[in-house]
Amino acid sequence: QWIKKNAGWWADDQITDSDFIKGIEYLVTHKIITY
């Protein structure tokens, strides 16, 4: 859910690219998502 919400904000230009990337990095760092 968090990812969908932030992706929507990012797509609507409500958050910056940098903020979106920081969020993804946090999820990867804490092994919430893997790649």
PDB file of all heavy atoms in Angstrom:
ATOM      1  N   GLN A   1       0.813  -1.198   0.000  1.00  0.00           N
ATOM      2  CA  GLN A   1       0.000   0.000   0.000  1.00  0.00           C
ATOM      3  C   GLN A   1       0.857   1.264   0.000  1.00  0.00           C
ATOM      4  O   GLN A   1       0.558   2.207  -0.705  1.00  0.00           O
ATOM      5  CB  GLN A   1      -0.912  -0.008   1.219  1.00  0.00           C
ATOM      6  CG  GLN A   1      -2.067  -0.945   1.040  1.00  0.00           C
ATOM      7  CD  GLN A   1      -3.349  -0.260   1.436  1.00  0.00           C
ATOM      8  OE1 GLN A   1      -3.451   0.940   1.356  1.00  0.00           O
ATOM      9  NE2 GLN A   1      -4.315  -1.028   1.848  1.00  0.00           N
ATOM     10  N   TRP A   2       1.892   1.268   0.845  1.00  0.00           N
ATOM     11  CA  TRP A   2       2.765   2.441   0.939  1.00  0.00           C
ATOM     12  C   TRP A   2       3.351   2.768  -0.420  1.00  0.00           C
ATOM     13  O   TRP A   2       3.389   3.925  -0.826  1.00  0.00           O
ATOM     14  CB  TRP A   2       3.875   2.153   1.952  1.00  0.00           C
ATOM     15  CG  TRP A   2       4.805   3.294   2.158  1.00  0.00           C
ATOM     16  CD1 TRP A   2       4.684   4.274   3.093  1.00  0.00           C
ATOM     17  CD2 TRP A   2       5.991   3.593   1.412  1.00  0.00           C
ATOM     18  NE1 TRP A   2       5.721   5.167   2.972  1.00  0.00           N
ATOM     19  CE2 TRP A   2       6.543   4.762   1.942  1.00  0.00           C
ATOM     20  CE3 TRP A   2       6.636   2.990   0.342  1.00  0.00           C
ATOM     21  CZ2 TRP A   2       7.704   5.333   1.446  1.00  0.00           C
ATOM     22  CZ3 TRP A   2       7.789   3.555  -0.153  1.00  0.00           C
ATOM     23  CH2 TRP A   2       8.308   4.712   0.401  1.00  0.00           C
ATOM     24  N   ILE A   3       3.792   1.735  -1.124  1.00  0.00           N
ATOM     25  CA  ILE A   3       4.425   1.950  -2.426  1.00  0.00           C
ATOM     26  C   ILE A   3       3.424   2.543  -3.420  1.00  0.00           C
ATOM     27  O   ILE A   3       3.735   3.491  -4.144  1.00  0.00           O
ATOM     28  CB  ILE A   3       5.026   0.641  -2.973  1.00  0.00           C
ATOM     29  CG1 ILE A   3       6.143   0.159  -2.052  1.00  0.00           C
ATOM     30  CG2 ILE A   3       5.544   0.816  -4.385  1.00  0.00           C
ATOM     31  CD1 ILE A   3       6.623  -1.233  -2.348  1.00  0.00           C
ATOM     32  N   LYS A   4       2.210   2.008  -3.435  1.00  0.00           N
ATOM     33  CA  LYS A   4       1.193   2.523  -4.347  1.00  0.00           C
ATOM     34  C   LYS A   4       0.878   3.984  -4.065  1.00  0.00           C
ATOM     35  O   LYS A   4       0.757   4.800  -4.971  1.00  0.00           O
ATOM     36  CB  LYS A   4      -0.087   1.695  -4.236  1.00  0.00           C
ATOM     37  CG  LYS A   4      -0.015   0.353  -4.903  1.00  0.00           C
ATOM     38  CD  LYS A   4      -1.359  -0.333  -4.798  1.00  0.00           C
ATOM     39  CE  LYS A   4      -1.335  -1.707  -5.421  1.00  0.00           C
ATOM     40  NZ  LYS A   4      -2.658  -2.348  -5.353  1.00  0.00           N
ATOM     41  N   LYS A   5       0.752   4.310  -2.792  1.00  0.00           N
ATOM     42  CA  LYS A   5       0.414   5.687  -2.418  1.00  0.00           C
ATOM     43  C   LYS A   5       1.524   6.647  -2.841  1.00  0.00           C
ATOM     44  O   LYS A   5       1.280   7.686  -3.440  1.00  0.00           O
ATOM     45  CB  LYS A   5       0.200   5.777  -0.906  1.00  0.00           C
ATOM     46  CG  LYS A   5      -0.336   7.118  -0.456  1.00  0.00           C
ATOM     47  CD  LYS A   5      -0.563   7.157   1.033  1.00  0.00           C
ATOM     48  CE  LYS A   5      -1.703   6.249   1.410  1.00  0.00           C
ATOM     49  NZ  LYS A   5      -2.088   6.355   2.827  1.00  0.00           N
ATOM     50  N   ASN A   6       2.769   6.277  -2.539  1.00  0.00           N
ATOM     51  CA  ASN A   6       3.891   7.147  -2.896  1.00  0.00           C
ATOM     52  C   ASN A   6       4.095   7.225  -4.404  1.00  0.00           C
ATOM     53  O   ASN A   6       4.445   8.282  -4.922  1.00  0.00           O
ATOM     54  CB  ASN A   6       5.168   6.692  -2.191  1.00  0.00           C
ATOM     55  CG  ASN A   6       5.198   7.162  -0.769  1.00  0.00           C
ATOM     56  OD1 ASN A   6       4.967   8.318  -0.491  1.00  0.00           O
ATOM     57  ND2 ASN A   6       5.465   6.258   0.147  1.00  0.00           N
ATOM     58  N   ALA A   7       3.869   6.137  -5.090  1.00  0.00           N
ATOM     59  CA  ALA A   7       3.989   6.166  -6.548  1.00  0.00           C
ATOM     60  C   ALA A   7       2.937   7.107  -7.139  1.00  0.00           C
ATOM     61  O   ALA A   7       3.212   7.842  -8.088  1.00  0.00           O
ATOM     62  CB  ALA A   7       3.842   4.765  -7.119  1.00  0.00           C
ATOM     63  N   GLY A   8       1.747   7.101  -6.556  1.00  0.00           N
ATOM     64  CA  GLY A   8       0.699   8.015  -7.010  1.00  0.00           C
ATOM     65  C   GLY A   8       1.076   9.461  -6.769  1.00  0.00           C
ATOM     66  O   GLY A   8       0.881  10.320  -7.630  1.00  0.00           O
ATOM     67  N   TRP A   9       1.605   9.742  -5.586  1.00  0.00           N
ATOM     68  CA  TRP A   9       2.051  11.110  -5.279  1.00  0.00           C
ATOM     69  C   TRP A   9       3.137  11.544  -6.244  1.00  0.00           C
ATOM     70  O   TRP A   9       3.153  12.666  -6.726  1.00  0.00           O
ATOM     71  CB  TRP A   9       2.570  11.211  -3.852  1.00  0.00           C
ATOM     72  CG  TRP A   9       1.526  11.081  -2.786  1.00  0.00           C
ATOM     73  CD1 TRP A   9       0.189  11.293  -2.909  1.00  0.00           C
ATOM     74  CD2 TRP A   9       1.755  10.719  -1.430  1.00  0.00           C
ATOM     75  NE1 TRP A   9      -0.427  11.078  -1.708  1.00  0.00           N
ATOM     76  CE2 TRP A   9       0.512  10.723  -0.777  1.00  0.00           C
ATOM     77  CE3 TRP A   9       2.885  10.378  -0.704  1.00  0.00           C
ATOM     78  CZ2 TRP A   9       0.369  10.407   0.566  1.00  0.00           C
ATOM     79  CZ3 TRP A   9       2.741  10.061   0.641  1.00  0.00           C
ATOM     80  CH2 TRP A   9       1.497  10.084   1.263  1.00  0.00           C
ATOM     81  N   TRP A  10       4.069  10.630  -6.492  1.00  0.00           N
ATOM     82  CA  TRP A  10       5.181  10.929  -7.396  1.00  0.00           C
ATOM     83  C   TRP A  10       4.648  11.198  -8.809  1.00  0.00           C
ATOM     84  O   TRP A  10       5.049  12.160  -9.466  1.00  0.00           O
ATOM     85  CB  TRP A  10       6.167   9.771  -7.379  1.00  0.00           C
ATOM     86  CG  TRP A  10       7.299   9.904  -8.322  1.00  0.00           C
ATOM     87  CD1 TRP A  10       8.320  10.807  -8.259  1.00  0.00           C
ATOM     88  CD2 TRP A  10       7.542   9.103  -9.482  1.00  0.00           C
ATOM     89  NE1 TRP A  10       9.181  10.604  -9.319  1.00  0.00           N
ATOM     90  CE2 TRP A  10       8.730   9.570 -10.069  1.00  0.00           C
ATOM     91  CE3 TRP A  10       6.877   8.032 -10.062  1.00  0.00           C
ATOM     92  CZ2 TRP A  10       9.243   8.992 -11.221  1.00  0.00           C
ATOM     93  CZ3 TRP A  10       7.407   7.468 -11.203  1.00  0.00           C
ATOM     94  CH2 TRP A  10       8.575   7.955 -11.768  1.00  0.00           C
ATOM     95  N   ALA A  11       3.719  10.365  -9.250  1.00  0.00           N
ATOM     96  CA  ALA A  11       3.147  10.533 -10.589  1.00  0.00           C
ATOM     97  C   ALA A  11       2.388  11.851 -10.703  1.00  0.00           C
ATOM     98  O   ALA A  11       2.351  12.459 -11.778  1.00  0.00           O
ATOM     99  CB  ALA A  11       2.230   9.359 -10.920  1.00  0.00           C
ATOM    100  N   ASP A  12       1.797  12.294  -9.610  1.00  0.00           N
ATOM    101  CA  ASP A  12       1.045  13.557  -9.605  1.00  0.00           C
ATOM    102  C   ASP A  12       1.919  14.761  -9.257  1.00  0.00           C
ATOM    103  O   ASP A  12       1.403  15.852  -9.014  1.00  0.00           O
ATOM    104  CB  ASP A  12      -0.103  13.482  -8.594  1.00  0.00           C
ATOM    105  CG  ASP A  12      -1.190  12.523  -9.018  1.00  0.00           C
ATOM    106  OD1 ASP A  12      -1.294  12.225 -10.226  1.00  0.00           O
ATOM    107  OD2 ASP A  12      -1.945  12.062  -8.143  1.00  0.00           O
ATOM    108  N   ASP A  13       3.234  14.554  -9.202  1.00  0.00           N
ATOM    109  CA  ASP A  13       4.198  15.610  -8.864  1.00  0.00           C
ATOM    110  C   ASP A  13       3.972  16.213  -7.474  1.00  0.00           C
ATOM    111  O   ASP A  13       4.250  17.372  -7.232  1.00  0.00           O
ATOM    112  CB  ASP A  13       4.188  16.727  -9.916  1.00  0.00           C
ATOM    113  CG  ASP A  13       4.781  16.271 -11.233  1.00  0.00           C
ATOM    114  OD1 ASP A  13       5.697  15.428 -11.209  1.00  0.00           O
ATOM    115  OD2 ASP A  13       4.337  16.756 -12.289  1.00  0.00           O
ATOM    116  N   GLN A  14       3.472  15.396  -6.545  1.00  0.00           N
ATOM    117  CA  GLN A  14       3.282  15.862  -5.172  1.00  0.00           C
ATOM    118  C   GLN A  14       4.535  15.636  -4.326  1.00  0.00           C
ATOM    119  O   GLN A  14       4.688  16.257  -3.284  1.00  0.00           O
ATOM    120  CB  GLN A  14       2.073  15.175  -4.540  1.00  0.00           C
ATOM    121  CG  GLN A  14       0.775  15.569  -5.195  1.00  0.00           C
ATOM    122  CD  GLN A  14      -0.420  14.868  -4.582  1.00  0.00           C
ATOM    123  OE1 GLN A  14      -0.295  14.083  -3.663  1.00  0.00           O
ATOM    124  NE2 GLN A  14      -1.597  15.166  -5.104  1.00  0.00           N
ATOM    125  N   ILE A  15       5.395  14.713  -4.778  1.00  0.00           N
ATOM    126  CA  ILE A  15       6.700  14.518  -4.143  1.00  0.00           C
ATOM    127  C   ILE A  15       7.758  14.513  -5.244  1.00  0.00           C
ATOM    128  O   ILE A  15       7.454  14.225  -6.398  1.00  0.00           O
ATOM    129  CB  ILE A  15       6.783  13.216  -3.295  1.00  0.00           C
ATOM    130  CG1 ILE A  15       6.559  11.963  -4.147  1.00  0.00           C
ATOM    131  CG2 ILE A  15       5.817  13.277  -2.122  1.00  0.00           C
ATOM    132  CD1 ILE A  15       6.780  10.654  -3.397  1.00  0.00           C
ATOM    133  N   THR A  16       8.978  14.839  -4.864  1.00  0.00           N
ATOM    134  CA  THR A  16      10.067  14.919  -5.847  1.00  0.00           C
ATOM    135  C   THR A  16      10.603  13.536  -6.188  1.00  0.00           C
ATOM    136  O   THR A  16      10.368  12.561  -5.472  1.00  0.00           O
ATOM    137  CB  THR A  16      11.217  15.763  -5.303  1.00  0.00           C
ATOM    138  OG1 THR A  16      11.773  15.096  -4.160  1.00  0.00           O
ATOM    139  CG2 THR A  16      10.755  17.160  -4.917  1.00  0.00           C
ATOM    140  N   ASP A  17      11.341  13.469  -7.274  1.00  0.00           N
ATOM    141  CA  ASP A  17      12.010  12.226  -7.646  1.00  0.00           C
ATOM    142  C   ASP A  17      12.912  11.768  -6.511  1.00  0.00           C
ATOM    143  O   ASP A  17      12.954  10.579  -6.181  1.00  0.00           O
ATOM    144  CB  ASP A  17      12.858  12.425  -8.908  1.00  0.00           C
ATOM    145  CG  ASP A  17      12.029  12.664 -10.166  1.00  0.00           C
ATOM    146  OD1 ASP A  17      10.790  12.501 -10.125  1.00  0.00           O
ATOM    147  OD2 ASP A  17      12.633  13.012 -11.187  1.00  0.00           O
ATOM    148  N   SER A  18      13.630  12.716  -5.923  1.00  0.00           N
ATOM    149  CA  SER A  18      14.557  12.405  -4.843  1.00  0.00           C
ATOM    150  C   SER A  18      13.827  11.790  -3.645  1.00  0.00           C
ATOM    151  O   SER A  18      14.289  10.801  -3.070  1.00  0.00           O
ATOM    152  CB  SER A  18      15.300  13.673  -4.416  1.00  0.00           C
ATOM    153  OG  SER A  18      16.141  13.419  -3.332  1.00  0.00           O
ATOM    154  N   ASP A  19      12.693  12.360  -3.270  1.00  0.00           N
ATOM    155  CA  ASP A  19      11.928  11.820  -2.149  1.00  0.00           C
ATOM    156  C   ASP A  19      11.412  10.421  -2.457  1.00  0.00           C
ATOM    157  O   ASP A  19      11.417   9.540  -1.601  1.00  0.00           O
ATOM    158  CB  ASP A  19      10.749  12.738  -1.806  1.00  0.00           C
ATOM    159  CG  ASP A  19      11.190  14.028  -1.162  1.00  0.00           C
ATOM    160  OD1 ASP A  19      12.280  14.067  -0.556  1.00  0.00           O
ATOM    161  OD2 ASP A  19      10.434  15.028  -1.273  1.00  0.00           O
ATOM    162  N   PHE A  20      10.971  10.208  -3.677  1.00  0.00           N
ATOM    163  CA  PHE A  20      10.483   8.889  -4.069  1.00  0.00           C
ATOM    164  C   PHE A  20      11.614   7.865  -3.996  1.00  0.00           C
ATOM    165  O   PHE A  20      11.437   6.770  -3.458  1.00  0.00           O
ATOM    166  CB  PHE A  20       9.892   8.953  -5.481  1.00  0.00           C
ATOM    167  CG  PHE A  20       9.302   7.657  -5.938  1.00  0.00           C
ATOM    168  CD1 PHE A  20       8.137   7.168  -5.368  1.00  0.00           C
ATOM    169  CD2 PHE A  20       9.902   6.930  -6.944  1.00  0.00           C
ATOM    170  CE1 PHE A  20       7.580   5.962  -5.802  1.00  0.00           C
ATOM    171  CE2 PHE A  20       9.361   5.730  -7.380  1.00  0.00           C
ATOM    172  CZ  PHE A  20       8.198   5.251  -6.810  1.00  0.00           C
ATOM    173  N   ILE A  21      12.778   8.234  -4.500  1.00  0.00           N
ATOM    174  CA  ILE A  21      13.928   7.327  -4.479  1.00  0.00           C
ATOM    175  C   ILE A  21      14.348   7.024  -3.044  1.00  0.00           C
ATOM    176  O   ILE A  21      14.671   5.875  -2.714  1.00  0.00           O
ATOM    177  CB  ILE A  21      15.094   7.910  -5.301  1.00  0.00           C
ATOM    178  CG1 ILE A  21      14.716   7.891  -6.782  1.00  0.00           C
ATOM    179  CG2 ILE A  21      16.388   7.152  -5.052  1.00  0.00           C
ATOM    180  CD1 ILE A  21      15.641   8.677  -7.672  1.00  0.00           C
ATOM    181  N   LYS A  22      14.347   8.039  -2.179  1.00  0.00           N
ATOM    182  CA  LYS A  22      14.691   7.815  -0.771  1.00  0.00           C
ATOM    183  C   LYS A  22      13.756   6.796  -0.145  1.00  0.00           C
ATOM    184  O   LYS A  22      14.182   5.945   0.642  1.00  0.00           O
ATOM    185  CB  LYS A  22      14.637   9.125   0.014  1.00  0.00           C
ATOM    186  CG  LYS A  22      15.789  10.045  -0.259  1.00  0.00           C
ATOM    187  CD  LYS A  22      15.625  11.344   0.505  1.00  0.00           C
ATOM    188  CE  LYS A  22      16.644  12.369   0.073  1.00  0.00           C
ATOM    189  NZ  LYS A  22      16.402  13.681   0.706  1.00  0.00           N
ATOM    190  N   GLY A  23      12.487   6.875  -0.470  1.00  0.00           N
ATOM    191  CA  GLY A  23      11.523   5.917   0.057  1.00  0.00           C
ATOM    192  C   GLY A  23      11.808   4.505  -0.421  1.00  0.00           C
ATOM    193  O   GLY A  23      11.759   3.550   0.357  1.00  0.00           O
ATOM    194  N   ILE A  24      12.121   4.353  -1.696  1.00  0.00           N
ATOM    195  CA  ILE A  24      12.447   3.031  -2.244  1.00  0.00           C
ATOM    196  C   ILE A  24      13.735   2.502  -1.611  1.00  0.00           C
ATOM    197  O   ILE A  24      13.821   1.330  -1.243  1.00  0.00           O
ATOM    198  CB  ILE A  24      12.576   3.091  -3.786  1.00  0.00           C
ATOM    199  CG1 ILE A  24      11.250   3.501  -4.425  1.00  0.00           C
ATOM    200  CG2 ILE A  24      13.064   1.756  -4.335  1.00  0.00           C
ATOM    201  CD1 ILE A  24      10.083   2.585  -4.174  1.00  0.00           C
ATOM    202  N   GLU A  25      14.728   3.370  -1.461  1.00  0.00           N
ATOM    203  CA  GLU A  25      15.988   2.957  -0.835  1.00  0.00           C
ATOM    204  C   GLU A  25      15.747   2.480   0.594  1.00  0.00           C
ATOM    205  O   GLU A  25      16.345   1.496   1.036  1.00  0.00           O
ATOM    206  CB  GLU A  25      16.995   4.104  -0.843  1.00  0.00           C
ATOM    207  CG  GLU A  25      17.573   4.374  -2.209  1.00  0.00           C
ATOM    208  CD  GLU A  25      18.465   5.604  -2.245  1.00  0.00           C
ATOM    209  OE1 GLU A  25      18.389   6.459  -1.335  1.00  0.00           O
ATOM    210  OE2 GLU A  25      19.240   5.720  -3.211  1.00  0.00           O
ATOM    211  N   TYR A  26      14.878   3.159   1.325  1.00  0.00           N
ATOM    212  CA  TYR A  26      14.554   2.754   2.695  1.00  0.00           C
ATOM    213  C   TYR A  26      13.965   1.336   2.693  1.00  0.00           C
ATOM    214  O   TYR A  26      14.350   0.495   3.504  1.00  0.00           O
ATOM    215  CB  TYR A  26      13.552   3.741   3.311  1.00  0.00           C
ATOM    216  CG  TYR A  26      13.068   3.318   4.674  1.00  0.00           C
ATOM    217  CD1 TYR A  26      13.786   3.655   5.807  1.00  0.00           C
ATOM    218  CD2 TYR A  26      11.906   2.573   4.826  1.00  0.00           C
ATOM    219  CE1 TYR A  26      13.353   3.261   7.063  1.00  0.00           C
ATOM    220  CE2 TYR A  26      11.470   2.171   6.067  1.00  0.00           C
ATOM    221  CZ  TYR A  26      12.200   2.510   7.187  1.00  0.00           C
ATOM    222  OH  TYR A  26      11.780   2.101   8.422  1.00  0.00           O
ATOM    223  N   LEU A  27      13.039   1.084   1.784  1.00  0.00           N
ATOM    224  CA  LEU A  27      12.407  -0.233   1.727  1.00  0.00           C
ATOM    225  C   LEU A  27      13.414  -1.323   1.393  1.00  0.00           C
ATOM    226  O   LEU A  27      13.359  -2.426   1.944  1.00  0.00           O
ATOM    227  CB  LEU A  27      11.263  -0.221   0.704  1.00  0.00           C
ATOM    228  CG  LEU A  27      10.097   0.700   1.046  1.00  0.00           C
ATOM    229  CD1 LEU A  27       9.098   0.716  -0.113  1.00  0.00           C
ATOM    230  CD2 LEU A  27       9.414   0.281   2.325  1.00  0.00           C
ATOM    231  N   VAL A  28      14.335  -1.044   0.483  1.00  0.00           N
ATOM    232  CA  VAL A  28      15.364  -2.023   0.110  1.00  0.00           C
ATOM    233  C   VAL A  28      16.327  -2.234   1.276  1.00  0.00           C
ATOM    234  O   VAL A  28      16.663  -3.371   1.621  1.00  0.00           O
ATOM    235  CB  VAL A  28      16.102  -1.586  -1.164  1.00  0.00           C
ATOM    236  CG1 VAL A  28      17.296  -2.483  -1.435  1.00  0.00           C
ATOM    237  CG2 VAL A  28      15.149  -1.595  -2.364  1.00  0.00           C
ATOM    238  N   THR A  29      16.773  -1.152   1.907  1.00  0.00           N
ATOM    239  CA  THR A  29      17.723  -1.231   3.010  1.00  0.00           C
ATOM    240  C   THR A  29      17.170  -2.063   4.156  1.00  0.00           C
ATOM    241  O   THR A  29      17.893  -2.841   4.781  1.00  0.00           O
ATOM    242  CB  THR A  29      18.079   0.178   3.521  1.00  0.00           C
ATOM    243  OG1 THR A  29      18.680   0.900   2.449  1.00  0.00           O
ATOM    244  CG2 THR A  29      19.042   0.127   4.678  1.00  0.00           C
ATOM    245  N   HIS A  30      15.888  -1.908   4.424  1.00  0.00           N
ATOM    246  CA  HIS A  30      15.260  -2.641   5.527  1.00  0.00           C
ATOM    247  C   HIS A  30      14.643  -3.963   5.083  1.00  0.00           C
ATOM    248  O   HIS A  30      13.870  -4.573   5.825  1.00  0.00           O
ATOM    249  CB  HIS A  30      14.223  -1.729   6.206  1.00  0.00           C
ATOM    250  CG  HIS A  30      14.883  -0.619   6.954  1.00  0.00           C
ATOM    251  ND1 HIS A  30      15.218   0.591   6.372  1.00  0.00           N
ATOM    252  CD2 HIS A  30      15.289  -0.540   8.236  1.00  0.00           C
ATOM    253  CE1 HIS A  30      15.790   1.368   7.253  1.00  0.00           C
ATOM    254  NE2 HIS A  30      15.855   0.703   8.389  1.00  0.00           N
ATOM    255  N   LYS A  31      14.998  -4.386   3.874  1.00  0.00           N
ATOM    256  CA  LYS A  31      14.576  -5.669   3.302  1.00  0.00           C
ATOM    257  C   LYS A  31      13.063  -5.845   3.294  1.00  0.00           C
ATOM    258  O   LYS A  31      12.559  -6.951   3.442  1.00  0.00           O
ATOM    259  CB  LYS A  31      15.274  -6.828   4.038  1.00  0.00           C
ATOM    260  CG  LYS A  31      16.777  -6.727   3.878  1.00  0.00           C
ATOM    261  CD  LYS A  31      17.500  -7.865   4.494  1.00  0.00           C
ATOM    262  CE  LYS A  31      18.972  -7.590   4.254  1.00  0.00           C
ATOM    263  NZ  LYS A  31      19.872  -8.505   4.644  1.00  0.00           N
ATOM    264  N   ILE A  32      12.363  -4.738   3.125  1.00  0.00           N
ATOM    265  CA  ILE A  32      10.913  -4.790   2.988  1.00  0.00           C
ATOM    266  C   ILE A  32      10.579  -5.200   1.554  1.00  0.00           C
ATOM    267  O   ILE A  32       9.622  -5.934   1.310  1.00  0.00           O
ATOM    268  CB  ILE A  32      10.285  -3.441   3.354  1.00  0.00           C
ATOM    269  CG1 ILE A  32      10.568  -3.163   4.842  1.00  0.00           C
ATOM    270  CG2 ILE A  32       8.798  -3.408   3.055  1.00  0.00           C
ATOM    271  CD1 ILE A  32      10.261  -1.756   5.296  1.00  0.00           C
ATOM    272  N   ILE A  33      11.402  -4.736   0.609  1.00  0.00           N
ATOM    273  CA  ILE A  33      11.318  -5.206  -0.763  1.00  0.00           C
ATOM    274  C   ILE A  33      12.726  -5.617  -1.201  1.00  0.00           C
ATOM    275  O   ILE A  33      13.720  -5.146  -0.651  1.00  0.00           O
ATOM    276  CB  ILE A  33      10.739  -4.148  -1.726  1.00  0.00           C
ATOM    277  CG1 ILE A  33      11.599  -2.893  -1.780  1.00  0.00           C
ATOM    278  CG2 ILE A  33       9.317  -3.809  -1.387  1.00  0.00           C
ATOM    279  CD1 ILE A  33      11.183  -1.890  -2.858  1.00  0.00           C
ATOM    280  N   THR A  34      12.784  -6.506  -2.166  1.00  0.00           N
ATOM    281  CA  THR A  34      14.083  -6.924  -2.693  1.00  0.00           C
ATOM    282  C   THR A  34      14.065  -6.718  -4.202  1.00  0.00           C
ATOM    283  O   THR A  34      13.014  -6.546  -4.813  1.00  0.00           O
ATOM    284  CB  THR A  34      14.348  -8.415  -2.388  1.00  0.00           C
ATOM    285  OG1 THR A  34      13.293  -9.206  -2.929  1.00  0.00           O
ATOM    286  CG2 THR A  34      14.440  -8.645  -0.887  1.00  0.00           C
ATOM    287  N   TYR A  35      15.230  -6.702  -4.781  1.00  0.00           N
ATOM    288  CA  TYR A  35      15.323  -6.528  -6.224  1.00  0.00           C
ATOM    289  C   TYR A  35      16.156  -7.607  -6.822  1.00  0.00           C
ATOM    290  O   TYR A  35      16.763  -8.394  -6.180  1.00  0.00           O
ATOM    291  CB  TYR A  35      15.896  -5.135  -6.583  1.00  0.00           C
ATOM    292  CG  TYR A  35      17.268  -4.878  -6.048  1.00  0.00           C
ATOM    293  CD1 TYR A  35      18.380  -5.103  -6.846  1.00  0.00           C
ATOM    294  CD2 TYR A  35      17.462  -4.420  -4.755  1.00  0.00           C
ATOM    295  CE1 TYR A  35      19.652  -4.862  -6.358  1.00  0.00           C
ATOM    296  CE2 TYR A  35      18.723  -4.180  -4.267  1.00  0.00           C
ATOM    297  CZ  TYR A  35      19.813  -4.398  -5.058  1.00  0.00           C
ATOM    298  OH  TYR A  35      21.078  -4.169  -4.584  1.00  0.00           O
TER     299      TYR A  35
END
